[in-house]
C-alpha cells in the first residue's frame, strides 16, 4: 500500500527508522521502507544495521547523486503506488504519524504534513528563526496557499504524479519552490494536514546564508526563464514593485556595502528574518 522513501547522506537516522518500525507494527496496511545512502562517508554501517534489524531495504549509490536523483531512484524501485518521502534529518511529531497519512491517502494526489522546529543554539539560530517564521504553519494556514508551502521532506504523493512532475534530476537548493510551481502548472490537487516532522538537521548561520545566496541566484534564473510565477513568491513580488519604482538597483547597489554589514549581523545574532529577506533580495537583484 505505502512505500516510505528515505534518502540519506551523512546522517544517523537510526532513531527515525526505529520509530517508524514501531508505528508500522501497529498498522494493518502493508508498508515497505526504502533507505538509500547517497555515497555517504559517515553512519553508513549504523543505518544499514538498523534497516536489517527492522526488515527495511537498504541500498547505496555508487556515487553521490544528490537528493532529487536519489528520490527518483527510490520511486522507481518502490513496490506501491503511494510514496511517503521523509528526509533523514526529520523526526515525526505524532505517535500516529503514519496512520494520519494513511487516513488521508485518498484525499488528494499529494499530502503535506508540515515542518516543526525545536529550540537551538545561536550558531544555528538563523535557520530555526526562518523556519518558525515562514514554514511552521498550521494546516489551515497552508491550505489557504497550498502551492506556497511545499516541503518535500515530509510528503505523501502518488507515484505516478511524482514520476511525472520530477523530470529534472537537478539537485539544487530551494528545489521545493520549483516543485510547488510544477504542481500548480499541472493542476495537481494538494492537501495540507497537521502531521508535522521536527526538522533536526539545522545548518549553521554561515552555511545557511551561503545556501540562501545560491538559492536567490537560482530563483532569479527560474524567474528569467518563466519557471516561477511571481504570484507565488513574495521575494519576486517585492522585486517587481521596486523595479516599477526604478529603485531596486539603488537600494541593492554593491557599492553601498550594506550586504556585508547585514551578513555579519545575521551570522552573529541569527536574525531578524527581515534582514534575511533583504540579503536574499540583494543577491536576487545582483544575480547577473
Amino acid at each position: 500500500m505505502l512505500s516510505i522513501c528515505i534518502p540519506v547522506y551523512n546522517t544517523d537516522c537510526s532513531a527515525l527508522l526505529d520509530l517508524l518500525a514501531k508505528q508500522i507494527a501497529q498498522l494493518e496496511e502493508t508498508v515497505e521502507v526504502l533507505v538509500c545512502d547517497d555515497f555517504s562517508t559517515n553512519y553508513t554501517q549504523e543505518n544499514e544495521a538498523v534497516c536489517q534489524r527492522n526488515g527495511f531495504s537498504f541500498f547505496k549509490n555508487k556515487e553521490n547523486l544528490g537528493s532529487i536523483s536519489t528520490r527518483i531512484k527510490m520511486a522507481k524501485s518502490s513496490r506501491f503506488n503511494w510514496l511517503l518521502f521523509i528526509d533523514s534529518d526529520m523526526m515525526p511529531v505524532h505517535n500516529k504519524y503514519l496512520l494520519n497519512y494513511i487516513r488521508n491517502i485518498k484525499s488528494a494526489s499529494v499530502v503535506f504534513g508540515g515542518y516543526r522546529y525545536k529550540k537551538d543554539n545561536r550558531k544555528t539560530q538563523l535557520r530555526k528563526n526562518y523556519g518558525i517564521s515562514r514554514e511552521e504553519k498550521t494546516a489551515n494556514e497552508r491550505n489557504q496557499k497550498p502551492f506556497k508551502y511545499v516541503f518535500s521532506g515530509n510528503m505523501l504523493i502518488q507515484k505516478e504524479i511524482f514520476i511525472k512532475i520530477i523530470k529534472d534530476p537537478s539537485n539544487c537548493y530551494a528545489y521545493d519552490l520549483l516543485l510547488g510551481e510544477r504542481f500548480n502548472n499541472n493542476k495537481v490537487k494538494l492537501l495540507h494536514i497537521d502531521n508535522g516532522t521536527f526538522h533536526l538537521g539545522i545548518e549553521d548561520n554561515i552555511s545557511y546564508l551561503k545556501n540562501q545566496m545560491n538559492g536567490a541566484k537560482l530563483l532569479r534564473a527560474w524567474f528569467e526563464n518563466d519557471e516561477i510565477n511571481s504570484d507565488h513568491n513574495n521575494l519576486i513580488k517585492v522585486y517587481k514593485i521596486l523595479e516599477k519604482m526604478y529603485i531596486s538597483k539603488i537600494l541593492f547597489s554593491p557599492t553601498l556595502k550594506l550586504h556585508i554589514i547585514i551578513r555579519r549581523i545575521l551570522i552573529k545574532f541569527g536574525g531578524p528574518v527581515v534582514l534575511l529577506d533583504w540579503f536574499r533580495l540583494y543577491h536576487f537583484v545582483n544575480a547577473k
Side-chain angles (χ1 to χ4, degrees), residues 10 32 47 65 79 85 94 112 128 151 172 177-178 182 186 189 199 201 207 218 227 231 238 244-245 252 268:
N10 286 337
E32 69 167 349
N47 292 331
L65 300 179
R79 293 165 49 200
F85 286 99
H94 304 291
F112 295 100
K128 190 206 76 169
F151 306 136
C172 53
L177 289 173
L178 191 58
R182 289 179 175 174
N186 286 274
K189 184 179 180 182
H199 192 174
S207 298
L218 282 168
E227 295 182 80
D231 292 336
V238 173
K244 288 182 179 179
M245 299 170 66
F252 300 101
K268 184 174 182 179

Side-chain angles (χ1 to χ4, degrees), residues 51-171:
C51 285
Q52 290 178 348
R53 183 173 72 240
N54 290 309
F56 299 161
S57 297
F58 181 89
F59 46 102
K60 294 180 281 188
N61 293 335
K62 295 182 180 180
E63 59 180 334
N64 183 258
L65 300 179
S67 61
I68 307 302
S69 294
T70 299
R71 291 181 189 185
I72 293 172
K73 180 179 179 179
M74 286 191 289
K76 293 180 178 179
S77 301
S78 62
R79 293 165 49 200
F80 301 114
N81 294 326
W82 282 93
L83 311 174
L84 175 57
F85 286 99
I86 311 173
D87 281 353
S88 58
D89 60 354
M90 297 289 174
M91 184 62 65
V93 175
H94 304 291
N95 56 13
K96 293 185 178 180
Y97 171 76
L98 294 181
L99 182 60
N100 290 338
Y101 268 129
I102 289 173
R103 285 172 174 170
N104 289 278
I105 208 164
K106 294 183 179 180
S107 302
S109 297
V110 189
V111 184
F112 295 100
Y115 287 170
R116 297 276 298 276
Y117 290 85
K118 292 184 176 182
K119 292 182 178 180
D120 224 316
N121 60 54
R122 177 165 287 187
K123 289 184 178 180
T124 56
Q125 190 74 15
L126 182 58
R127 177 65 182 95
K128 190 206 76 169
N129 285 342
Y130 180 85
I132 292 173
S133 175
R134 304 293 169 80
E135 297 176 347
E136 194 173 280
K137 305 293 183 181
T138 65
N140 182 56
E141 290 173 311
R142 286 180 278 126
N143 278 315
Q144 292 177 25
K145 296 181 178 179
F147 299 103
K148 179 179 179 180
Y149 297 103
V150 169
F151 306 136
S152 59
N154 182 21
M155 173 180 71
L156 177 70
I157 185 170
Q158 285 183 326
K159 183 176 180 176
E160 62 178 351
I161 296 294
F162 180 82
I163 292 175
K164 175 184 177 182
I165 296 296
I166 312 296
K167 291 183 178 180
D168 183 3
S170 173
N171 301 293

Side-chain angles (χ1 to χ4, degrees), residues 12-23:
D12 183 356
C13 60
S14 55
L16 168 63
L17 297 174
D18 282 335
L19 184 147
L20 292 175
K22 291 179 181 179
Q23 293 197 13

Side-chain angles (χ1 to χ4, degrees), residues 245-276:
M245 299 170 66
Y246 300 101
I247 59 174
S248 65
K249 292 183 180 179
I250 298 173
L251 290 176
F252 300 101
S253 171
T255 59
L256 296 177
K257 307 295 183 182
L258 284 176
H259 61 291
I260 298 175
I261 298 172
I262 288 175
R263 181 179 182 274
R264 290 173 180 170
I265 292 172
L266 291 171
I267 290 173
K268 184 174 182 179
F269 299 104
V273 174
V274 66
L275 289 186
L276 178 61

